Amino acid sequence: MIETFHLLLMKFVLLGMLPGIAAIIGGWCGSLLSDTLVRHGDSLSVARKVPLVGGMLGSATIGLAAFSPSLGLSLAALCFANFAATFASAALWALPSDVAPNRANIATTGGIQNMAANLTGIISPVLIGIIMQYNHSFTLPLEIAGIVGVIGEPIYGF
């Protein structure tokens, strides 16, 4: 964004907080929706899948940030994608207690889930670095992130 929209570093720092703020709000909204669905009598499966599937699909909007003609649209895409990703992850955090074989395995199940999430946190910066080395643009990494969101949606939907 600094290079594309010619931002001063201080302005970038201030604007860079907005996707994080959107993520905080998304997590609250996703957890509230999931809990509300359970309280209204929906199954745990429905209560977890609705925010997961909706959030994963919404997170795919990150790909739009790469093609946004203005700073405002690019920032809006990043904010919405972060909101949607944490909207989904709120239900994801509840899954270990739903799927663990018994109460004694909830923490182990959560640990396995977190390990998988952290592996992606290790692999993605390496892949982004390799891509950036060859094309010097964040367009492809943002598009790949959007594709991952689209692919993740049907996986959680079933």
Side-chain angles (χ1 to χ4, degrees):
M1 290 183 106
I2 291 174
E3 292 175 13
T4 303
F5 298 112
H6 310 290
L7 296 178
L8 297 174
L9 185 58
M10 190 57 174
K11 186 171 184 177
F12 174 73
V13 168
L14 293 173
L15 293 175
M17 292 188 296
L18 295 177
I21 293 168
I24 291 169
I25 296 167
W28 288 339
C29 291
S31 62
L32 288 172
L33 175 62
S34 185
D35 288 347
T36 300
L37 291 171
V38 170
R39 279 194 298 275
H40 283 100
D42 288 299
S43 69
L44 284 177
S45 178
V46 168
R48 303 304 184 236
K49 284 183 180 183
V50 167
L52 273 168
V53 170
M56 291 299 291
L57 197 55
S59 72
T61 60
I62 196 166
L64 298 176
F67 299 106
S68 297
S70 70
L71 176 61
L73 288 174
S74 182
L75 194 56
L78 292 171
C79 287
F80 184 76
N82 279 328
F83 173 94
T86 57
F87 187 89
S89 70
L92 194 62
W93 282 101
L95 285 179
S97 66
D98 297 341
V99 301
N102 59 54
R103 294 184 60 77
N105 297 103
I106 293 173
T108 301
T109 304
I112 292 168
Q113 175 181 298
N114 288 337
M115 178 201 64
N118 286 318
L119 283 174
T120 63
I122 293 167
I123 294 168
S124 60
V126 173
L127 291 176
I128 290 170
I130 291 169
I131 292 168
M132 292 291 296
Q133 180 180 357
Y134 291 103
N135 71 2
H136 310 288
S137 170
F138 274 104
T139 301
L140 185 58
L142 288 171
E143 288 302 310
I144 291 170
I147 290 167
V148 168
V150 171
I151 291 169
E153 179 266 330
I155 291 171
Y156 282 114
F158 295 106

